[in-house]
C-alpha cells in the first residue's frame, strides 16, 4: 500500500465583528483605562458587561464604572504558555472579581513568584497595555496588588470616538491527510495516471475516489485506472477573471467523464476556441510541468461521443 | 426542597436498539473521516438487519474545526448511502444532540427508525487550541484560553470549595482507566500515570486522551424497536440545558443546567443503577455527581468514560450508547446518560434509559 499523504494546512481568518452599545462602551473604556460593568435590574454589576441579563434575558444598558483592582476567585497555573496567550512566560489564568463587580472577568495574572505566590482571594490590579486599541487585550494582564481599591476615573460610560468593532484574527495549524483512497488517487496523478475505485455493490467507478460509494454506503476498494481520454458531458463559459489565476477569459470549464468512470470530474478545456466546445466533445488531459494534476483537457480529434453513451453521467 | 416535577411522558416509546463505536486511537491518519466512520455504520445496520434504505431519518454530529475544512460533514455522508436523497440533518455538536434531534423526529411520527452517528478526528490539529474558537469572540477567545486551562479553573474552584482535592481527582482518573480495562475500544486502559501538571491543579492523568473515533446508534419507535432488538433501551426522558455564557457569571462548582436537564428527563423520579457521564476532566465528574445526585451505589462510567476515550463530538453519543448497551446486556435496568459540550460543562444533555421489566 502506498504511503498515506500528509501536508500542512493552515487556516487563518480575521473575523471582523461589530459591537453593540454595551460591548462598544466596555472596549472603548479599556482603551481609556476605564473598566465598565453593566447593572442588572436586581442591582448586580456584571463585568465584563453583557447586553442581556443571563438570568432574566432582559436587555441591559446601565453602564457603571468599577475599579481596576479586584480579587481572584479561582486560578490555574499555566507553566507552558501557548501561542496567542497574553504572556510568553509562565502565568496564572484567573477569574477576577473587580471591586464593585459581582461577576468574574477571565484574564491572566503575571506572577513572578510562581504558583506558590498565587491563591484564591489574593488582591490584584489591572496592568494596562502600552498601546491600546479597544480590545480585551488592552488589559495586558493582572499583577499582584496588596493595597486598597483603586480610585475610579469617574467615567459615565460615554466616550468620544467609540470603538464600534473588533478584528479577531485566528490561526489554526493542521496536518491534513486525505486518507487511503484519496492518497492513492494523488499518488497516481503524480505518475500522470488517473485512478478511481469501483463500488463492490453497484459496480460504479468513482473518480476521484473518496473511499465510499455514496449510493450504497459501502467502502470502495477495487482500484480501476480510467481515461486518459474522456467526454465533455456539460460545460460553462467563464467570463470573470479570477484573482491570482493566470488564465485569459473567456474560457470553458467542463464536466468530463473519463473513459471507464461513472462520475464526471471537472476541468478546464483548452486548445479549442471557447465557443466551439460542445457536449460530447472528446478530450484528453494535458499535464502541466511538475504539477500533480492535468492543467487542462484538449480535443482528441475523435468524432463526438453519442449522447446515449454519457447521458447518465450528466 | 420542592419535589421534582415529573417529566412529561413521551408521545411514543423510542429506544436505542443498536450501538457501535470504533477503537479510539491517538491518530487514524491513514483513514479519511468517512473511512473511519463507515465500519460503525455497517455494524449498527448489521445488528438490526436494517439496510440504509430502511432508515427513516439520519442525523449526525461533528465539527468542521477539527478537520479545518468547511462542510466537512458532507463528505462523511458518503458512508451513509445518501443517494437517492434521504431525510438527513447535521448538528455542529456532539452526536448526543443529533440523537436528541432524531428522537424529536421520531416523536412526531415522521419516522419509525433513525440512524445517528458522530465522529471526530482530533489528530490533524491541536485540539486544545481548536476549542478556543468556540469561546466568546469578544472577551475570551482573543486570550486563547485552552480547554485544559478552563477546566483547571473549574478544578481549583472545586478544591477551594472543599468539594475535592488532588488525590481525590487522581482516584477518579484511576478508577476510570481501571474500568476501561474491559472496554476494548478505549484508548487509555488500566494503569495510567497521573503525570505532571498540564495546567495546575490538573495533571495529564486528569485530562482526557486526545484521539480519533466514531460512533453510531439506531433508534426505533414502539413495536419496531422490539422487532429489531432483544432488549431495547427505552428513552424515558431526554433534555438539554445551557449555562450562562460568561464563565465568571457561573458558579463553576455546580451545574444547575445538568440538574435541570436531569429533572426534566425524569432522572430523579426513581434511582438509576448506572450513570455514563461525559466528564472529560476528572474534576467534572465531581461536579456532575453532585448536580445529578448520584450516590455511591450508582455504577459511574463502567465503560471508563471520557477519561479513557474522548473522540470529540462522539464522546457524548458514546455515553448514551454505552448506557443502552449495558441495558441490552441485562447489566442495567435504569441508566442515566449525560453529554456535555463547551467549556466547563457549559451545555448538558441528560437521557434516562430503561429496559423492559424482568
Ligand atoms: Zn455503490
Amino acid at each position: 500500500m502506498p504511503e498515506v499523504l500528509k501536508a500542512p494546512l493552515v487556516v487563518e481568518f480575521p473575523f471582523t465583528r461589530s459591537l453593540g452599545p454595551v460591548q462598544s462602551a466596555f472596549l472603548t473604556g479599556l482603551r481609556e483605562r476605564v473598566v465598565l460593568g453593566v447593572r442588572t435590574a436586581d442591582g448586580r454589576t456584571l463585568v465584563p458587561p453583557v447586553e442581556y441579563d443571563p438570568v432574566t434575558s432582559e436587555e441591559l444598558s446601565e453602564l457603571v464604572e468599577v475599579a481596576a483592582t479586584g480579587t481572584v476567585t479561582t486560578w490555574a497555573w499555566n507553566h507552558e504558555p501557548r501561542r496567542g496567550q497574553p504572556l510568553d512566560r509562565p502565568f496564572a489564568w484567573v477569574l477576577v472579581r473587580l471591586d464593585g463587580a459581582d461577576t468574574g472577568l477571565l484574564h491572566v495574572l503575571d506572577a513572578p513568584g510562581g504558583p506558590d505566590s498565587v491563591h484564591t482571594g489574593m488582591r490584584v490590579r489591572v496592568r494596562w497595555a502600552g498601546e491600546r486599541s479597544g480590545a480585551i487585550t488592552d488589559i495586558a494582564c493582572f499583577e499582584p496588588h496588596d493595597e486598597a481599591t483603586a480610585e475610579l476615573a469617574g467615567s459615565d460610560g460615554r466616550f468620544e470616538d467609540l470603538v464600534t468593532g473588533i478584528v479577531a484574527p485566528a490561526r489554526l495549524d493542521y496536518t491534513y491527510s486525505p486518507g487511503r483512497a484519496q492518497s492513492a488517487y494523488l499518488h497516481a496523478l503524480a505518475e500522470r495516471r488517473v485512478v478511481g475505485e469501483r463500488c463492490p455493490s453497484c459496480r460504479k467507478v468513482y473518480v476521484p475516489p473518496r473511499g465510499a460509494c455514496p449510493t450504497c454506503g459501502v467502502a470502495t476498494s477495487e482500484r480501476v485506472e480510467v481515461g486518459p481520454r474522456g467526454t465533455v458531458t456539460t460545460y460553462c463559459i467563464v467570463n470573470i477573471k479570477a484573482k491570482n489565476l493566470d488564465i485569459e477569459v473567456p474560457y470553458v470549464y467542463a464536466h468530463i467523464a473519463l473513459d471507464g468512470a461513472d462520475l464526471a470530474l471537472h476541468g478546464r478545456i483548452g486548445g479549442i476556441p471557447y465557443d466551439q466546445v460542445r457536449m460530447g466533445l472528446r478530450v484528453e488531459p494535458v499535464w502541466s510541468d511538475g504539477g500533480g494534476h492535468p492543467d487542462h483537457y484538449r480535443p482528441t480529434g475523435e468524432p463526438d461521443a453519442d449522447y446515449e453513451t454519457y447521458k447518465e453521467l450528466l | 426542597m420542592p419535589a421534582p416535577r415529573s417529566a412529561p411522558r413521551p408521545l411514543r416509546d423510542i429506544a436505542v436498539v443498536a450501538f457501535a463505536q470504533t477503537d479510539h486511537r491517538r491518530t487514524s491518519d491513514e483513514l479519511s473521516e468517512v473511512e473511519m466512520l463507515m465500519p460503525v455504520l455497517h455494524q449498527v445496520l448489521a445488528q438490526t438487519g436494517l439496510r440504509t434504505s430502511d432508515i427513516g431519518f439520519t442525523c449526525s454530529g461533528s465539527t468542521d474545526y477539527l478537520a479545518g475544512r468547511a462542510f466537512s460533514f458532507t463528505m462523511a455522508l458518503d458512508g451513509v448511502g445518501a443517494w437517492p436523497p434521504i431525510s438527513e440533518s447535521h448538528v455542529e455538536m456532539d452526536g448526543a444532540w443529533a440523537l436528541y434531534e432524531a428522537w424529536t423526529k421520531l416523536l412526531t411520527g415522521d419516522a419509525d427508525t433513525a440512524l445517528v452517528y458522530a465522529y471526530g478526528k482530533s489528530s490533524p490539529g491541536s485540539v486544545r487550541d481548536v476549542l478556543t474558537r468556540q469561546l466568546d469572540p469578544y472577551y475570551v477567545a482573543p486570550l486563547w484560553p485552552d480547554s485544559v486551562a478552563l477546566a483547571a479553573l473549574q478544578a481549583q474552584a472545586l478544591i477551594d470549595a472543599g468539594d475535592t482535592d488532588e488525590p481525590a481527582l487522581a482516584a477518579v482518573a484511576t478508577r476510570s482507566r481501571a474500568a476501561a480495562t474491559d472496554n476494548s475500544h478505549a484508548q487509555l486502559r488500566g494503569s495510567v500515570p497521573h503525570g505532571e501538571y498540564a495546567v495546575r491543579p490538573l495533571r495529564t492523568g486528569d485530562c482526557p486522551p486526545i484521539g480519533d473515533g466514531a460512533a453510531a446508534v439506531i433508534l426505533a419507535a414502539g413495536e419496531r424497536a422490539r422487532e429489531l432488538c432483544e432488549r431495547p433501551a427505552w428513552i424515558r426522558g431526554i433534555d438539554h440545558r445551557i449555562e450562562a455564557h460568561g464563565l465568571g457569571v457561573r458558579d463553576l462548582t455546580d451545574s444547575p443546567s445538568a440538574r435541570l436537564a436531569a429533572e426534566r428527563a425524569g432522572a430523579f423520579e426513581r434511582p438509576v443503577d448506572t450513570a455514563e457521564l461525559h466528564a472529560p476532566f476528572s474534576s467534572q465528574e465531581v461536579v456532575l455527581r453532585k448536580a445529578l445526585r448520584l450516590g455511591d451505589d450508582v455504577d459511574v462510567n463502567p465503560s471508563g468514560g471520557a477519561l479513557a476515550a474522548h473522540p470529540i463530538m462522539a464522546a457524548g453519543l458514546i455515553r448514551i450508547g454505552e448506557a443502552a448497551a449495558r441495558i441490552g446486556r441485562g447489566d442495567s435496568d435504569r441508566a442515566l446518560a449525560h453529554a456535555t459540550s463547551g467549556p466547563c460543562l457549559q451545555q448538558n444533555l441528560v437521557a434516562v434509559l430503561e429496559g423492559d421489566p424482568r
Side-chain angles (χ1 to χ4, degrees):
Chain A
M1 183 168 125
E3 192 191 341
V4 171
L5 294 168
K6 284 184 188 185
L9 170 70
V10 178
V11 178
E12 284 187 281
F13 42 100
F15 264 123
T16 302
R17 298 180 175 275
S18 51
L19 305 171
V22 171
Q23 291 178 317
S24 175
F26 176 68
L27 293 179
T28 306
L30 295 186
R31 190 189 68 197
E32 306 302 323
R33 299 183 182 225
V34 168
V35 188
L36 296 171
V38 72
R39 188 73 54 83
T40 64
D42 64 357
R44 291 178 313 135
T45 300
L46 310 180
V47 179
V50 292
E51 288 152 331
Y52 296 92
D53 188 310
V55 178
T56 64
S57 308
E58 267 179 82
E59 190 167 354
L60 301 175
S61 61
E62 187 192 343
L63 296 161
V64 287
E65 189 188 351
V66 298
T69 49
T71 303
V72 170
T73 61
T74 186
W75 62 284
W77 186 256
N78 190 32
H79 63 90
E80 269 180 335
R82 302 171 76 81
R83 188 175 69 202
Q85 295 179 345
L87 294 172
D88 58 9
R89 55 187 174 276
F91 64 83
W93 290 103
V94 283
L95 279 172
V96 176
R97 190 167 58 233
L98 291 168
D99 297 330
D102 293 290
T103 60
L105 171 74
L106 179 77
H107 219 290
V108 305
L109 172 68
D110 188 11
D116 293 337
S117 71
V118 183
H119 60 273
T120 297
M122 78 184 284
R123 296 283 296 159
V124 296
R125 72 173 167 211
V126 169
R127 180 190 299 164
W128 296 104
E131 285 183 26
R132 296 178 305 283
S133 60
I136 191 66
T137 46
D138 288 354
I139 297 176
C141 60
F142 282 88
E143 59 191 20
H145 170 77
D146 287 330
E147 288 139 52
T149 301
E151 287 198 17
L152 301 184
S155 170
D156 61 0
R158 294 197 190 94
F159 302 96
E160 307 269 308
D161 184 22
L162 276 175
V163 176
T164 57
I166 59 167
V167 178
R171 173 187 167 131
L172 294 170
D173 285 65
Y174 301 88
T175 302
Y176 179 68
S177 175
R180 178 198 57 80
Q182 293 187 85
S183 285
Y185 174 74
L186 294 168
H187 276 298
L189 281 184
E191 298 167 5
R192 302 195 166 187
R193 294 183 299 119
V194 179
V195 297
E197 283 185 350
R198 191 188 306 277
C199 172
S201 174
C202 68
R203 309 300 296 162
K204 277 194 170 142
V205 173
Y206 289 95
V207 184
R210 297 210 297 250
C213 172
T215 304
C216 305
V218 298
T220 55
S221 53
E222 184 193 338
R223 201 156 293 154
V224 181
E225 188 147 349
V226 298
R229 294 185 166 188
T231 301
V232 171
T233 61
T234 185
Y235 63 95
C236 65
I237 298 166
V238 180
N239 285 291
I240 297 169
K241 197 168 165 64
K243 210 170 156 184
N244 305 325
L245 195 62
D246 192 22
I247 299 171
E248 288 307 313
V249 292
Y251 66 89
V252 172
Y253 206 66
H255 275 189
I256 300 153
L258 294 179
D259 294 346
D262 290 292
L263 192 73
L265 45 70
H266 37 109
R268 184 168 62 90
I269 305 296
I272 181 173
Y274 70 90
D275 56 358
Q276 290 178 31
V277 175
R278 53 202 182 265
M279 289 169 75
L281 181 70
R282 294 286 294 160
V283 293
E284 63 188 1
V286 178
W287 295 85
S288 54
D289 289 336
H293 58 90
D295 178 71
H296 63 275
Y297 292 79
R298 70 181 171 208
T300 63
E302 292 168 271
D304 284 3
D306 186 25
Y307 179 68
E308 292 298 315
T309 64
Y310 64 86
K311 68 174 185 186
E312 297 294 333
L313 303 178
L314 280 176
Chain B
M1 190 189 304
R5 278 175 290 170
S6 295
R9 181 131 182 101
L11 304 167
R12 298 176 88 187
D13 287 330
I14 295 162
V16 177
V17 296
F19 167 57
Q21 61 184 316
T22 56
D23 291 343
H24 308 295
R25 294 184 292 153
R26 178 62 187 87
T27 179
S28 61
D29 56 15
E30 76 283 11
L31 301 175
S32 65
E33 280 98 341
V34 66
E35 288 167 340
M36 179 177 74
L37 174 66
M38 231 174 339
V40 299
L41 298 174
H42 296 163
Q43 283 170 41
V44 288
L45 291 167
Q47 283 174 35
T48 54
L50 293 170
R51 291 165 306 164
T52 46
S53 55
D54 300 326
I55 298 290
F57 181 62
T58 299
C59 199
S60 61
S62 69
T63 175
D64 284 351
Y65 277 77
L66 287 183
R69 283 174 298 129
F71 294 99
S72 58
F73 71 92
T74 58
M75 297 290 201
L77 263 180
D78 284 355
V80 174
W83 180 268
I86 59 171
S87 173
E88 184 271 336
S89 183
H90 174 257
V91 298
E92 189 82 4
M93 284 285 276
D94 188 288
W97 276 262
L99 183 141
Y100 183 90
E101 182 174 336
W103 178 75
T104 56
K105 184 83 168 179
L106 264 53
L107 278 187
T108 66
D110 272 3
D112 292 329
T113 54
L115 170 64
V116 180
Y117 64 89
Y119 63 91
K121 272 174 70 108
S122 295
S123 58
S126 167
V127 72
R128 280 173 72 173
D129 301 318
V130 166
L131 291 177
T132 64
R133 298 304 92 190
Q134 70 182 344
L135 302 168
D136 171 341
Y138 303 96
Y139 299 159
V140 180
L143 306 173
W144 292 82
D146 60 280
S147 48
V148 179
L150 296 174
L153 285 170
Q154 185 171 35
Q156 185 64 44
L158 286 164
I159 290 170
D160 288 336
D163 286 357
T164 191
D165 55 26
E166 291 191 37
L169 295 179
V172 169
T174 300
R175 193 207 77 241
S176 298
R177 273 79 183 237
T181 307
D182 297 330
N183 178 355
S184 64
H185 301 290
Q187 189 177 335
L188 287 187
R189 288 186 278 162
S191 178
V192 173
H194 202 42
E196 300 294 315
Y197 284 120
V199 178
R200 182 172 163 177
L202 292 180
R203 295 176 182 272
T204 52
D206 292 307
C207 304
I210 294 170
D212 300 352
V217 306
I218 288 179
L219 301 181
E223 280 310 302
R224 197 85 178 92
R226 286 203 174 77
E227 291 164 20
L228 296 172
C229 178
E230 192 124 335
R231 191 167 197 248
W234 300 105
I235 300 173
R236 294 303 183 206
I238 182 169
D239 196 278
H240 60 108
R241 302 283 162 160
I242 311 174
E243 303 287 335
H245 198 194
L247 278 178
V249 172
R250 296 167 48 187
D251 171 2
L252 294 178
T253 68
D254 196 8
S255 182
S257 63
R259 185 181 300 111
L260 182 57
E263 181 185 318
R264 300 300 291 159
F268 302 140
E269 290 169 14
R270 285 191 295 121
V272 297
D273 55 46
T274 302
E276 278 285 341
L277 305 181
H278 183 193
F281 297 92
S282 58
S283 42
Q284 295 179 342
E285 184 181 301
V286 176
V287 178
L288 290 168
R289 274 180 183 266
K290 185 169 77 170
L292 298 173
R293 301 176 199 160
L294 300 173
D296 291 338
D297 54 333
V298 178
D299 200 348
V300 173
N301 287 343
S303 67
L307 286 163
H310 194 234
I312 305 250
M313 299 293 138
L317 181 64
I318 290 170
R319 304 281 72 77
I320 299 174
E322 289 280 10
R326 206 166 155 79
I327 286 169
R329 290 194 299 269
D331 294 338
S332 168
D333 292 317
R334 180 171 158 89
L336 179 151
H338 161 267
T340 194
S341 185
C344 301
L345 301 171
Q346 185 188 30
Q347 315 209 25
N348 294 285
L349 178 148
V350 173
V352 176
L353 306 172
E354 282 182 355
D356 283 324
R358 290 184 287 189

